Amino acid sequence: TATTAATAAATVTAAAVVSAAELESSRATALSTKENLEKAQDVEDAILLQLPKLACAGLRPAERAAVLADQQYWKALCPKLHVGECAHLASKIIDPDPDLVDELRERMEREGYWDIPAEQRREDSGALQLPWAVNVQHMAESVAVLTDAGWPPSFLLMYDEPWVMAAQLKHLLLHTSGNRLVFDFAMFHVGSGRTPAGKHDAPDGASSRGWAPHRDRGIDSAAAAFRADGMPKYSTTWIALTDATTYSSCLCCVPKQRDPGYSAGDAGRDPLDAIVSASGVSALQHIRALPVSAGSVLHFSHRLLHWGSAADATTRQLKKQSPRVALSFASADVHFEPPFLSEAAARLPLPSITTRAGLIAGLAIFYVGNEDPGEWRLRLFWDCFMASQTAGEFSDHFARVAARN
């Protein structure tokens, strides 16, 4: 079904438990795979042109991670962004407008999502509701630089700016949902022309569309998934870094009130199949496209059925629109899903560059069902992830789920 690939990686909960023995077994399997791959012919990968030391045989995981966390390399690659220089901006937390908070909570309860346009202003002062402390355009331009160099868009996390944006929103998210940041990030560059393995993609390949229809977490029990006030225990914040249009790709969803599986659960059925079966093809008329301008925020429940549309490259170019760039991050009740970073790492205003590299690597493994980076990159990511995990930078929950994947 259309949802299979995305749902496979998304249906992870705090109840997922992997024993220490299983984690150790995963380590051993990875080491065995590493030895076999090092006997194979040399790997051709775009990022080896950027950091050729990664190809050196015999590097230990910590050494490979150190190469990937070369601060000077990342500064030189995207000079418009910052590495380890913007901790003071993380304190520019957005003070939510109380009237807006009430409106957003009502929309979440009714529709399963809410949005704040970048242009929206406060009624009391006329100031922007989203006074970003970072340059959104520079972030979008830098994602293009990253993908042109062969890096996945997720390497935007090597820079301070996405961390600052998440920190700025933490009070708004706490007031509207009760959820706290869990450091589960994803980055998107629809129309990049690159696969997750860094290879050039066909014009209508996977890079020309967003993720397939899915729910971010697949808990069927409404009692386990929502608080008594109706707010979800896990939610996703999605920020457009370029205009997300119906031609460049935007998010689409089935609003809560049109989705019988949103609260009742899917009972093992494909959500889209269930919706069409219940209402007929007229259900398709209730699909909602969510185009937004750069700097705008969409926030939705983990039960909202959503996806990224396919881009129309020809019309997008005729209209002089940029490929769609966006970032997302999750917040949750810690009893529903614990944070990915350890308590010590999460307390820092901005994580260290080695923590960032390890988190990017772990997320690539975590979401391998959505975006397969290929064997060589998975080996690289595993080494970097294990180096950070050995240093105690991640929670046991994240380490176990990554090991399982």
Side-chain angles (χ1 to χ4, degrees), residues 85-128:
E85 304 166 79
C86 298
H88 63 291
L89 297 180
S91 65
K92 294 183 178 294
I93 299 170
I94 294 173
D95 179 28
D97 179 344
D99 290 337
L100 178 64
V101 168
D102 291 341
E103 174 192 328
L104 299 181
R105 288 176 62 87
E106 188 277 330
R107 289 189 62 191
M108 177 63 77
E109 173 63 19
R110 178 166 48 87
E111 299 187 301
Y113 78 95
W114 51 256
D115 67 300
I116 303 177
E119 306 82 8
Q120 185 169 328
R121 294 184 177 274
R122 297 175 66 115
E123 292 185 5
D124 55 0
S125 65
L128 289 171

Side-chain angles (χ1 to χ4, degrees), residues 94-250:
I94 294 173
D95 179 28
D97 179 344
D99 290 337
L100 178 64
V101 168
D102 291 341
E103 174 192 328
L104 299 181
R105 288 176 62 87
E106 188 277 330
R107 289 189 62 191
M108 177 63 77
E109 173 63 19
R110 178 166 48 87
E111 299 187 301
Y113 78 95
W114 51 256
D115 67 300
I116 303 177
E119 306 82 8
Q120 185 169 328
R121 294 184 177 274
R122 297 175 66 115
E123 292 185 5
D124 55 0
S125 65
L128 289 171
Q129 294 279 11
L130 298 171
W132 297 121
V134 297
N135 189 309
V136 172
Q137 182 178 341
H138 287 175
M139 293 175 70
E141 292 170 352
S142 297
V143 169
V145 171
L146 287 167
T147 52
D148 284 347
W151 296 102
S154 57
F155 277 83
L156 184 65
L157 281 174
M158 295 301 286
Y159 300 92
D160 298 347
E161 280 76 358
W163 298 94
V164 169
M165 294 184 99
Q168 283 194 270
L169 289 178
K170 64 182 182 180
H171 282 182
L172 176 64
L173 301 181
L174 185 62
H175 284 290
T176 54
S177 68
N179 293 334
R180 300 179 184 274
L181 298 176
V182 293
F183 309 102
D184 178 0
F185 287 88
M187 310 290 167
F188 307 94
H189 188 188
V190 176
S192 68
R194 290 273 192 175
T195 71
K199 301 183 183 301
H200 291 290
D201 198 11
D204 60 347
S207 66
S208 69
R209 54 187 178 269
W211 286 359
H214 65 285
R215 306 190 194 278
D216 281 346
R217 292 294 182 267
I219 295 296
D220 275 350
S221 169
F226 296 93
R227 295 182 173 84
D229 63 3
M231 295 300 102
K233 293 184 178 180
Y234 183 107
S235 51
T236 298
T237 302
W238 191 94
I239 306 175
L241 301 182
T242 59
D243 293 345
T245 74
T246 53
Y247 299 112
S248 67
S249 173
C250 65

